[in-house]
Amino acid sequence: MATCLTAPKRPFLALPSFVPSSCPSITLQTRRHQSSYRRTKQRLRVKPDASFGVSSTQFHDQIIHNPPSSAPSVYHTPTKFLPLDDVRRTLRGASMNNGNSAQLPSVFKTSVEKRYHLNPSDIEEIRRLRLSDPMTWSRWKLAKRFDCSPMFIAMVCEAGPQKKEIQKQVLEAVQSRWGTKRRMAREDRQLRKESWGRDE
Amino acid sequence: MKRLQLQRWSSSVLSPRARTGGRLQQHLYYNLRRQSTVSPAPQAENEPLFEEQSLNSSTHIPQSSHFKYLLPSPPVEAARESAKLAALHARLYLPSRLPLETLARSLVDASADSNPNFNNEALATLGNDLLSHYTSEHLVCTYPRLPLTVIFAAMYAYVGPKSLAAMAKEWGVEMAAVPGGEVDPGLLQFKRVLPGTDVNAGPVTGTERPNEHRKSWRKSMTSRVVYDNEYGDPVGVSGESATPESQNTQGVTAEHANATFVRAVMGAIYLHAGRPAAKRFFEQHFLSRHLNISDLFNFSQPARDLSRLCARENFEPPVAKIISETGRKSRHPVFVVGIFSGQDKLGEGAGASLLEARSRAAVAALKGWYLYSPLNVRVPSSMEEEGAAPWKPVHVDLGEVIV
């Protein structure tokens, strides 16, 4: 204990990291600060954010509200969803409204504008084509011809039973070639997708 | 509002000296069995009588012990001698107007004692109605937009048999191995099912639902309000409300007996201590249990539901926008996507892909819609208090999104 107390502190300049690296014998020692717990700790000791301290203009007691970044609570109803007679609608006012939402990039590269350009006769034509020759008139081809999405084709008509049977056999043939890894990965992906809806 | 005289009701329900000769087994000792849990007023008269009995009980020991073994459940007089029962009464902080005899009766299941004057069936029926009434009015008034499936799930979580059984366990109620007259009345008495019996064998039959034999027909959610029980499960003759005869032969599960006991306690408090005490007991023991309702949701197509909702409510169509992202080209990217309707943000979600983040944001937006709760929630039963403020109608709107 006594020796610890009487031992002189190493001078500041003698620390290996501050010595110029011209001396080759020191290069071995420069790595030492990484393994030193105390020095690593010292480097991690960051000055607290300015919002935590007492501001220079305000000297009396104050509440510091600095919540960690987290997903917003679902119990906090958005202002748009509040009924018209709710007090919170006026209490929040424009303070919650951040005006920069227009500048944010969209998730999808192209935003498809719905056109509603097909009339009932076109839809009859789609149904007729799909039932008459389902092998040539697939969903994609019909969508290309009528300038709509394949989703819309699926919404207005259904494939014939023979085409469904063929498609089922094709799918089985493809899936029979899958090994365990691919099958499990696909099942896991499906399970993960289902967990999005449960918010897990 | 004038409070009703509950003591009158309780005497009619408990029926102290009523004898229904047809349903009772014809035994000699039935002439000796007496219900003594009438109401607080006659109970005071009973106490000196009881002391008399205890004084000269030493002379009757052989006779009374023999008498005890013949009974299907503990005699009413034994309730005053049970330390377990007094401890349970004190632990639950039950009102002093609720006598120990009624508490002992609420511990006797119908499978142990088929006599309706000595088992807890009537109390449990009343308690179950009170519990589902208080819980459903709390849920509907607090979250007026909840979908029906979530209401059913929340009802099951608050007052379902599993929760009630867990509650009885937390209250420290122990179960008797076999019911009988010599058992401590502080133990839960019921006849157990034999091990290996399939309790959920076979489909539920005897419901009031038309065309119930059609298995492939769709059962709509709204029809469950009419035909099914408060949890949205079909209830039939082979369900929970089985006939006492079949329960006597088969016995009941421990979960069922525990749940019936908790319901019977609720009914007993209502009968003996009145409506305010029952409401207080409900708030302290049932409503105080934490249930995160946002965990009960499960959406299959949240983005589609949200766009339907916005179209129905005349909002601008929802647009998903990237609020922030990190590591798009790395192995673990994180995207934070917000869903905006016009200038307003409806929801926000984070995920490892743009689709996941968008889907989670849509789920958050839908939950924001469904979990709306008005300020200063009042339930209809709060009007029963004296000096209650005039009733204002609860918030009602279109609620659930139907695609």
Side-chain angles (χ1 to χ4, degrees):
Chain A
M1 213 47 202
T3 52
C4 282
L5 286 174
T6 50
K9 267 187 169 180
R10 275 202 289 178
F12 183 69
L13 277 175
L15 280 171
S17 55
F18 288 97
V19 173
S21 58
S22 60
C23 183
S25 67
I26 297 212
T27 47
L28 273 176
Q29 288 192 350
T30 45
R31 255 178 262 145
R32 202 182 149 260
H33 73 273
Q34 289 162 2
S35 58
S36 158
Y37 172 79
R38 183 176 58 85
R39 290 175 201 181
T40 316
K41 194 87 181 159
Q42 213 164 26
R43 261 154 234 267
L44 288 173
R45 215 173 282 149
V46 190
K47 208 176 158 192
D49 193 83
S51 65
F52 274 111
V54 183
S55 63
S56 54
T57 54
Q58 211 173 5
F59 286 104
H60 44 263
D61 292 343
Q62 54 176 338
I63 297 170
I64 301 167
H65 181 63
N66 206 350
S69 58
S70 57
S73 165
V74 288
Y75 289 97
H76 186 95
T77 313
T79 317
K80 198 150 203 171
F81 286 164
L82 289 173
L84 291 175
D85 56 344
D86 200 286
V87 195
R88 282 168 281 185
R89 202 174 250 277
T90 50
L91 284 180
R92 280 183 203 161
S95 64
M96 301 294 291
N97 214 347
N98 41 359
N100 58 355
S101 67
Q103 296 144 24
L104 292 175
S106 174
V107 167
F108 304 108
K109 280 179 184 143
T110 54
S111 60
V112 184
E113 198 66 30
K114 285 186 182 173
R115 284 180 298 165
Y116 305 102
H117 61 289
L118 294 178
N119 43 19
S121 62
D122 290 335
I123 289 171
E124 279 304 314
E125 177 72 9
I126 291 174
R127 285 179 184 153
R128 195 188 58 77
L129 282 175
R130 189 143 190 220
L131 275 181
S132 61
D133 191 2
M135 296 314 284
T136 41
W137 289 112
S138 65
R139 268 169 62 185
W140 278 100
K141 280 184 185 158
L142 281 170
K144 212 153 220 183
R145 165 154 180 193
F146 288 93
D147 199 13
C148 61
S149 69
M151 189 74 187
F152 182 76
I153 304 290
M155 277 160 68
V156 295
C157 66
E158 209 174 356
Q162 295 142 355
K163 166 76 175 167
K164 270 187 190 169
E165 196 59 41
I166 292 167
Q167 208 59 40
K168 205 173 164 186
Q169 282 171 3
V170 168
L171 186 67
E172 274 172 11
V174 169
Q175 283 183 344
S176 67
R177 292 173 56 84
W178 290 353
T180 43
K181 275 188 181 175
R182 180 178 295 236
R183 196 177 295 276
M184 276 171 66
R186 283 189 171 253
E187 283 169 6
D188 286 350
R189 196 174 301 158
Q190 197 57 37
L191 287 176
R192 278 203 303 274
K193 216 170 236 181
E194 282 165 15
S195 77
W196 299 350
R198 287 192 302 272
D199 213 358
E200 282 171 355
Chain B
M1 187 180 280
K2 199 183 171 195
R3 192 167 298 165
L4 291 168
Q5 290 295 318
L6 289 164
Q7 279 73 35
R8 302 251 174 89
W9 296 13
S10 65
S11 60
S12 71
V13 171
L14 288 176
S15 67
R17 305 281 185 260
R19 281 282 161 272
T20 50
R23 290 190 63 189
L24 295 186
Q25 300 139 350
Q26 298 298 322
H27 286 299
L28 278 175
Y29 60 82
Y30 263 89
N31 295 330
L32 302 170
R33 276 184 99 183
R34 289 272 184 269
Q35 261 281 12
S36 74
T37 61
V38 187
S39 57
Q43 186 221 323
E45 299 165 8
N46 281 359
E47 276 180 5
L49 187 81
F50 173 69
E51 280 168 16
E52 266 178 37
Q53 280 179 354
S54 63
L55 278 178
N56 51 21
S57 63
S58 54
T59 56
H60 294 299
I61 279 176
Q63 196 189 348
S64 69
S65 62
H66 176 65
F67 162 75
K68 268 185 180 177
Y69 279 103
L70 289 173
L71 288 173
S73 62
V76 178
E77 301 84 47
R80 291 274 154 193
E81 294 166 1
S82 167
K84 277 182 190 298
L85 210 55
L88 180 66
H89 194 284
R91 201 184 309 136
L92 292 186
Y93 204 62
L94 293 176
S96 53
R97 293 170 71 186
L98 176 71
L100 286 176
E101 285 85 355
T102 312
L103 190 60
R105 182 178 161 182
S106 68
L107 280 161
V108 179
D109 193 80
S111 61
D113 192 346
S114 57
N115 188 343
N117 283 333
F118 294 92
N119 66 30
N120 62 4
E121 209 175 0
L123 292 173
T125 307
L126 174 65
N128 189 30
D129 289 351
L130 283 171
L131 284 179
S132 37
H133 167 59
Y134 285 148
T135 316
S136 56
E137 75 173 4
H138 165 76
L139 282 173
V140 170
C141 294
T142 317
Y143 301 105
R145 285 175 185 163
L146 277 190
L148 210 48
T149 43
V150 178
I151 288 190
F152 281 146
M155 285 288 288
Y156 191 82
Y158 269 121
V159 290
K162 279 195 167 57
S163 312
L164 297 188
M167 209 176 279
K169 199 176 173 191
E170 285 160 21
W171 288 352
V173 177
E174 294 168 51
M175 297 173 280
V178 172
E182 77 286 0
V183 181
D184 191 311
L187 298 173
L188 181 61
Q189 325 243 341
F190 65 102
K191 189 177 171 190
R192 291 166 191 257
V193 283
L194 289 174
T197 317
D198 191 6
V199 283
N200 297 325
V204 178
T205 53
T207 56
E208 292 170 8
R209 185 186 287 276
N211 302 311
E212 95 182 313
H213 57 283
R214 311 260 185 194
K215 297 292 170 233
S216 60
W217 284 21
R218 189 178 61 94
K219 286 180 190 167
S220 74
M221 219 55 212
T222 35
S223 76
R224 296 192 179 186
V225 181
V226 182
Y227 297 117
D228 296 345
N229 65 0
E230 58 266 52
Y231 320 121
D233 298 328
V235 58
V237 285
S238 68
E240 267 201 280
S241 63
T243 52
E245 288 77 31
S246 73
Q247 280 187 351
N248 276 340
T249 53
Q250 291 176 359
V252 294
T253 57
E255 184 188 290
H256 180 271
N258 276 307
T260 316
F261 158 67
V262 177
R263 289 175 188 143
V265 169
M266 185 72 189
I269 292 172
Y270 181 81
L271 287 178
H272 282 280
R275 200 158 39 204
K279 188 92 191 282
R280 208 175 314 121
F281 186 78
F282 172 74
E283 278 164 3
Q284 285 169 353
H285 283 90
F286 297 85
L287 222 50
S288 62
R289 297 171 77 85
H290 176 69
L291 172 68
N292 193 0
I293 295 192
S294 74
D295 286 348
L296 302 178
F297 287 89
N298 186 7
F299 297 99
S300 57
Q301 295 208 342
R304 187 189 65 179
D305 291 4
L306 186 64
S307 65
R308 287 302 308 152
L309 173 72
C310 287
R312 190 187 79 184
E313 299 291 322
N314 292 326
F315 299 148
E316 295 96 328
V319 183
K321 288 178 177 174
I322 304 172
I323 294 175
S324 67
E325 64 170 61
T326 173
R328 185 185 270 256
K329 299 261 167 106
S330 72
R331 194 174 181 279
H332 292 292
V334 174
F335 299 97
V336 179
V337 166
I339 291 205
F340 292 85
S341 167
Q343 286 288 314
D344 302 284
K345 191 167 79 180
L346 302 182
E348 187 183 315
S353 68
L354 280 172
L355 274 183
E356 182 187 353
R358 169 172 158 266
S359 172
R360 286 184 187 277
V363 166
L366 280 174
K367 281 185 182 175
W369 168 264
Y370 283 131
L371 289 172
Y372 162 71
S373 179
L375 297 169
N376 306 324
V377 182
R378 286 181 75 202
V379 290
S381 69
S382 66
M383 290 303 290
E384 291 162 352
E385 295 160 12
E386 282 172 26
W391 174 251
K392 267 190 268 179
V394 293
H395 176 79
V396 176
D397 62 3
L398 292 175
E400 196 170 347
V401 183
I402 295 164
V403 182

